[in-house]
Amino acid sequence: MVPNSPADALGSDAPGLRDLLVEIVRARHALAAEAHLVSESRYAMGFGSQWRDLLDDARDALKDRGFRFCKLAPGGHEIPVVNDCLVYVWRVPNNPSAVSEFASSPTRKNGFTTSPLDPALWEPRLSEEQEPAQDTTNEDEVGPVLRAVGESMSLVLVMVESTPRQLQSIDWAVAVLDDEGKVELRGHESIWEPEPVADANASGVEPFDSGSPVEPKVEAREEEGSGPDA
C-alpha cells in the first residue's frame, strides 16, 4: 500500500528528516551559488550540476547517523533509506513537466521497484521520541510475512527549486509511477521557503491609489556668497 504523505511514509522520523534535509540543501546551495559567483560564468550549467552532490550529501548525512542506502542500477546512485523509504533529493529543472517526467532514466525508474532492505537488528532513529510499544506476540511470524508480500519501497521525493541568485523552495512528497510511466505526487508539502524580505523604503509610505500624496517641502535657497569658496 502506497502511503498518502511523507509523514505517513516516514513515521516518527519525518520531523527529524525534514530538518536535516533543509540543512543539507541550504548548505549545498550556498556552496554552489558561491562557486558560480566566483567563476563569473555567464551560464548556469555548472550550478545545475549540484544534483549529484545533493544525492551524496543526503547519503553521507544519513549514513553518519546509522542509516543504510540502496544503490540504483545502472547509474549507481546511492539513495538513503529511512523507514523502508527511499529518500531522493532532486533539484527540479525549470520545466513544467519536470516532475511528471522524473522517471525518464532507467536509474530513476528503478527507484520505484526496489525491494526493501533485509531487516536489521537495530534501526536508527531521527527522533528522540519513543516508539509506541508494539505487541510482539506474533512478531516473529507476522514481520517476515509482511516484508515478503511487500512489493517495493516507497520513494519520498525531495524537490529543490533554485537559481544561482536564490534558493527558492524545498518541497517533498511521496512519488508514485502510473501505468504510463509518469510520476504523480501524494501529500505534496513545502518544508522550507525563504523568508519574505521587508521593503524598508516602503514602510510608512501611503499607497498612491488611496489618500492624498504628501507634497515635498520646498524651501527657498539662501543666496550664495561671492567669495572664492562659493
Side-chain angles (χ1 to χ4, degrees):
M1 179 178 179
V2 179
N4 289 320
S5 69
D8 290 343
L10 300 165
S12 61
D13 286 319
L17 181 59
R18 180 189 58 214
D19 295 342
L20 179 61
L21 291 171
V22 169
E23 179 183 340
I24 292 169
V25 173
R26 294 185 69 183
R28 175 52 57 185
H29 170 79
L31 291 172
E34 182 180 3
H36 181 80
L37 181 64
V38 171
S39 71
E40 297 183 355
S41 174
R42 297 175 178 82
Y43 309 98
M45 291 181 290
F47 178 81
S49 66
Q50 65 181 280
W51 66 270
R52 193 61 185 264
D53 282 313
L54 286 171
L55 288 178
D56 292 347
D57 291 347
R59 176 205 59 201
D60 291 346
L62 287 162
K63 184 179 177 182
D64 291 344
R65 289 161 174 78
F67 289 88
R68 296 179 289 173
F69 61 86
C70 184
K71 182 178 290 188
L72 298 182
H77 303 339
E78 295 175 341
I79 310 302
V81 177
V82 177
N83 198 40
D84 275 349
C85 295
L86 290 169
V87 180
Y88 198 113
V89 184
W90 176 53
R91 181 173 178 268
V92 183
N94 185 21
N95 179 350
S97 303
V99 172
S100 64
E101 297 175 355
F102 168 77
S104 58
S105 74
T107 302
R108 291 178 181 173
K109 188 173 294 183
N110 284 336
F112 294 89
T113 57
T114 303
S115 300
L117 302 176
D118 293 335
L121 295 176
W122 175 79
E123 292 289 348
R125 291 294 175 190
L126 288 168
S127 171
E128 296 180 354
E129 297 180 0
Q130 298 295 322
E131 288 289 303
Q134 299 180 354
D135 182 5
T136 59
T137 306
N138 300 319
E139 185 176 2
D140 293 341
E141 300 176 359
V142 176
V145 172
L146 289 176
R147 286 183 177 276
V149 299
E151 296 178 354
S152 60
M153 286 190 282
S154 298
L155 192 150
V156 174
L157 189 59
V158 182
M159 296 161 284
V160 179
E161 294 192 2
S162 64
T163 69
R165 294 174 58 88
Q166 185 186 38
L167 176 59
Q168 297 168 323
S169 66
I170 309 173
D171 295 6
W172 69 2
V174 176
V176 181
L177 202 62
D178 67 14
D179 296 336
E180 299 179 351
K182 302 298 183 183
V183 171
E184 298 177 351
L185 302 180
R186 293 188 180 184
H188 188 178
E189 178 186 6
S190 173
I191 60 175
W192 182 89
E193 58 184 10
E195 296 288 338
V197 178
D199 187 353
N201 294 329
S203 62
V205 177
E206 191 173 8
F208 194 70
D209 59 350
S210 64
S212 301
V214 178
E215 297 181 357
K217 293 182 178 179
V218 179
E219 296 180 354
R221 185 178 179 181
E222 295 182 358
E223 185 177 355
E224 297 177 345
S226 57
D229 298 333

